[in-house]
Amino acid sequence: MAEENGVVLLNFWVSPFGQRVKIALAEKGVDYEYKEENLMEKSPFLLKSNPIHKKIPVLIHDGKPICESLVIVEYIDEIWRGKTQLLPSDPYARAQARFWADFIDKKVFECGTRLWKCNGEAQEQAKKEMLEILKLLETELGDKKYFGGESFGLVDLVLIPFSSWFYTYETCCPGLSVENECPKLLVWTKECKTRESVAKSLPEPSMVYEFVCKMKKRFGIE
Amino acid sequence: MEAEEMELFGIWSSPYVLRVIWALNIKKIKYKYIEEDLNNKSNLLLHYNPVYKKVPVLVYKGKPICESMIIVEFIEETWKNDSIFPKDPYEKAKARFLAKFVEDKLSPPMWRFFTTKGKDQEEAYESFTDYLAILERELEGKEFFGGENIGFVDILLGCMSYVVPIYEEITDFEIITKEKFPLLHAWMQAFLSSDIVRDNLPPRDELLYRYRKIREAFLSKDN
């Protein structure tokens, strides 16, 4: 059976968590089979591979499933050594990278979801929080080319998928401009997108916006 | 290594701080402990953890590391003796996954159970007992989640071994019994009596008093 050997990725195209895994696999030059899941009708294979959360992304390596995007990325980094190291070697630097990856995980998606789902006061609050989060990240980036310094690494690949959502956040929340508020961060996104791994893994911002509009209609959100 | 090279900022009652203490004990690392007052955080704490302003913070040779899971991984990667993680990358990924599961899925309904009553409490109870069943299955054939020795998942879950009996006493619910979850029940006893944990637990009476006050505060908010 195809799933018993090699690498398979179960994903949903718009998920920034799935895109991290795509970028990691591309950075390492790993060949894999991509399976697009319909989250309204999850496949038996997904439910069998991730029985606890029933979520994507799931990486299946030689028949063994690995779940949770950050766990998957660290696994990829460990298994496919040699090419592009995603985490630094030094334990302290690794701890810093994990800290910021975890911060992004805890904060960006949830706040971003409130930006497009909510209105009025709640949306204003989400906008304020998103700007605080992005400014903090911009301070951490400083004048470096990437979050890890000269090399593209964990924090970069964890954050960059959210750049496809900036257009959606700005359109749903007038007055929010990532370019005006965080110009250095925007320069960093452009730098990341020159990498083939990133360019071929991220959806067009207009497609993300179209997806969100469909979601809003489905949930009856204005 | 001198104890001064390693400092741990914490509070006596925090299960997150205890995770770090247990990891330091596994690795036999000396450290200086600094008790913080969360109502009056020290300038040092705010300097070392400006993002979250929380404990635990580990400071090694003047450089801070924050977030308990990340601190434990740092300790594992810096000191090679007495491994906390499996060597095999797939087993390591499973351990990380289960640890995240404990943090993200198990802990919230357990807290909700403890801080609510009536229907809310019952729903939370149903939720987390389903998750406990998952952990019970993971323990099959093992004394600890780490196998023969205490590992990453044991450390992450460890506070449950002393908090659950306190929850049971205060709420009058049965949570982990020999009949319901025999393996988890045995795990709790083994964990509590292990060398690294036994002498590193918060005082029970003070904890009981503290948790009673917490539950009262939450329930009175709803009235």
Side-chain angles (χ1 to χ4, degrees), chain B residues 153-164:
Chain B
V153 179
D154 302 281
I155 291 174
L156 268 279
L157 192 62
C159 67
M160 208 176 68
S161 66
Y162 66 84
V163 168
V164 160

Side-chain angles (χ1 to χ4, degrees), chain B residues 99-114:
Chain B
K100 250 193 146 279
F101 166 77
V102 165
E103 281 287 82
D104 298 344
K105 287 288 233 195
L106 180 66
S107 297
M110 285 196 83
W111 185 246
R112 231 171 24 247
F113 159 81
F114 185 66

Side-chain angles (χ1 to χ4, degrees), chain B residues 175-189:
Chain B
I175 302 173
I176 297 179
T177 61
K178 242 191 244 175
E179 295 72 34
K180 282 188 167 166
F181 296 112
L183 299 178
L184 274 172
H185 191 260
W187 170 83
M188 281 168 57
Q189 312 317 314

